């Protein structure tokens, strides 16, 4: 630490991203898609677009917001885009909870929520999950605080029903409820249509997982026009050009290509069912994941040791050295070949 860092940030504990590597490995540690993005993405990233990079990107993101609005049957003024959904979450937590506001989230959930709470001076309550890792919605009914929940939750993969989400949203009318639907494409029940009914709901999504574009950094939030106006006010006070021209074009092309992505998502869901079935045969416990990862444990070997052994075999998965989940592993669902290799490697390690 230098002598110059503001006192406010001395104690900050940053988010730890999963490892990115150059070696050739089977990479099942950061919930990326094993598939390349839609071919339409390549088509729109033409030389003509590159030649125009001398100009600033469109701060209003008109093309992209329109394409997203069409997909979700809302108006473009209900769409806010960010440099990854992390950017959207950051603006929302800063804007609606910052400087002493109150926020609650599940104790075991996306690791970025506590970091944002910390950096923006938010009073955060982390609410324990039930023993089976599910969320007890009674903990959030009429809570009287802002709420952020990942649905499906990470790293458990467990999802809340549409009805339960509506109960949470409707019982907290004077607070913002952020539903982080980063993994919703993989078969949960989205609450997106509720943004038209409830002015306190913000739903966030990302191109990183379901749309094979983690490296592009695009995410978005959908909410009432008033909430989106607030987010834009913050954005224009901080970083008006938060998306670059290439990202805007590429993401707009991707979101319109349902045919391509529906097929890829269906394959991932199928590979997830395969992986759960095979791991259960090997005696693993698996949560009922609705995401593009599974959350598993075994009595045969500690999670830390299994992750280390798999690494030696060139397979990366995610181990969290954190109370209550330190005997669990989060394994991203890759291609069927990758999952077959994983299952064979786990079999070899656990039956040795
Ligand atoms: C991956 C992830 C995000 C952020 O993704 P971006 O790449 O920033 O769009 C947000 N929430 C959860 C729960 C995630 O797992």
């Amino acid at each position: 630490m230098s002598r110059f860092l503001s006192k406010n940030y001395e104690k900050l504990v940053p988010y730890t991203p999963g490892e990115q590597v150059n070696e050739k490995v089977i990479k099942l540690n950061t919930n990326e898609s094993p598939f390349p993005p839609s071919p339409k993405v390549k088509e729109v990233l033409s030389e003509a677009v590159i030649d125009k990079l001398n100009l600033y990107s469109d701060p209003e993101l008109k093309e992209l917001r329109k394409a997203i609005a069409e997909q979700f049957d809302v108006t473009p003024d209900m769409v806010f885009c960010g440099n990854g959904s992390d950017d959207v979450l950051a603006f929302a937590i800063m804007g609606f909870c910052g400087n002493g506001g109150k926020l609650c989230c599940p104790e075991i959930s996306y690791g970025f929520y506590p970091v944002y709470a910390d950096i923006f001076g938010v009073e955060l309550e982390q609410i324990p999950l039930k023993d089976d890792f599910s969320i007890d919605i009674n903990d959030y009914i009429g809570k009287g605080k802002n709420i952020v929940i990942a649905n499906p939750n990470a790293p458990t993969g467990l999802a809340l029903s549409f009805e339960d989400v509506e109960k949470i949203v409707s019982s907290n009318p004077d607070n913002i409820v952020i539903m982080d639907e980063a993994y919703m494409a993989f078969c949960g029940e989205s609450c997106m249509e509720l943004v038209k009914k409830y002015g306190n709901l913000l739903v966030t999504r990302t191109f990183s997982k379901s749309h094979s574009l983690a490296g592009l950094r695009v995410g978005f939030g959908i909410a009432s026009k008033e909430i989106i106006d607030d987010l834009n006010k913050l954005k224009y006070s901080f970083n008006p050009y938060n998306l670059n021209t290439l990202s805007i074009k590429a993401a707009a092309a991707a979101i319109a290509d349902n045919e391509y992505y529906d097929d890829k998502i269906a394959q991932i869901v199928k590979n997830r069912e395969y992986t759960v079935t095979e791991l259960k045969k090997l005696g693993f416990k698996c949560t009922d994941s609705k995401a593009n990862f599974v959350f598993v444990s075994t009595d045969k070997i500690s999670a830390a040791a299994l992750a280390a052994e798999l690494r030696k075999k060139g397979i990366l998965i995610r181990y969290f050295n954190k109370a209550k989940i330190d005997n669990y592993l989060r394994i991203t669902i890759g291609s069927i070949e990758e999952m077959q290799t994983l299952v064979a490697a786990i079999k070899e390690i656990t039956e040795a």
Side-chain angles (χ1 to χ4, degrees), residues 175-236:
N175 291 100
I176 292 276
V177 178
I178 305 170
M179 293 305 298
D180 177 349
E181 294 194 343
Y183 299 104
M184 187 48 80
F186 305 100
C187 283
E189 291 176 25
S190 175
C191 66
M192 193 65 94
E193 66 179 80
L194 294 178
V195 296
K196 291 180 203 162
K197 188 166 168 191
Y198 297 100
N200 62 326
L201 173 64
L202 170 64
V203 182
T204 64
R205 292 272 185 123
T206 176
F207 284 81
S208 299
K209 280 86 187 213
S210 55
H211 283 65
S212 305
L213 287 167
L216 194 71
R217 310 303 307 129
V218 182
F220 56 94
I222 299 188
S224 68
K225 178 180 178 301
E226 290 71 26
I227 288 182
I228 299 305
D229 286 348
D230 291 343
L231 292 172
N232 273 316
K233 184 170 173 175
L234 297 168
K235 166 180 129 143
Y236 281 92

Side-chain angles (χ1 to χ4, degrees), residues 137-157:
I137 68 148
N138 294 315
D139 292 337
Y140 299 87
I141 302 292
K143 184 71 185 166
K145 291 183 183 181
N146 300 303
I147 295 169
V148 58
I149 295 177
N151 189 35
N153 198 11
T156 66

Side-chain angles (χ1 to χ4, degrees), residues 37-46 213 216 249-251 253-254 261:
S38 153
K40 302 262 163 53
V41 168
K42 229 180 258 182
E43 276 168 37
V44 293
L45 294 181
S46 62
L213 287 167
L216 194 71
K249 289 264 173 216
Y261 286 109

Side-chain angles (χ1 to χ4, degrees), residues 15 30-31 82-89 109-113 116 149-155 180-183 204-209 213-215 217-220 292-293 330:
Y15 175 72
T30 49
N31 299 343
N83 196 285
S85 58
D86 286 341
D87 198 33
V88 181
L89 291 165
S109 191
Y110 187 38
F112 231 134
Y113 306 146
Y116 284 139
I149 295 177
N151 189 35
N153 198 11
D180 177 349
E181 294 194 343
Y183 299 104
T204 64
R205 292 272 185 123
T206 176
F207 284 81
S208 299
K209 280 86 187 213
L213 287 167
R217 310 303 307 129
V218 182
F220 56 94
N292 68 336
F293 55 81
R330 189 195 71 190

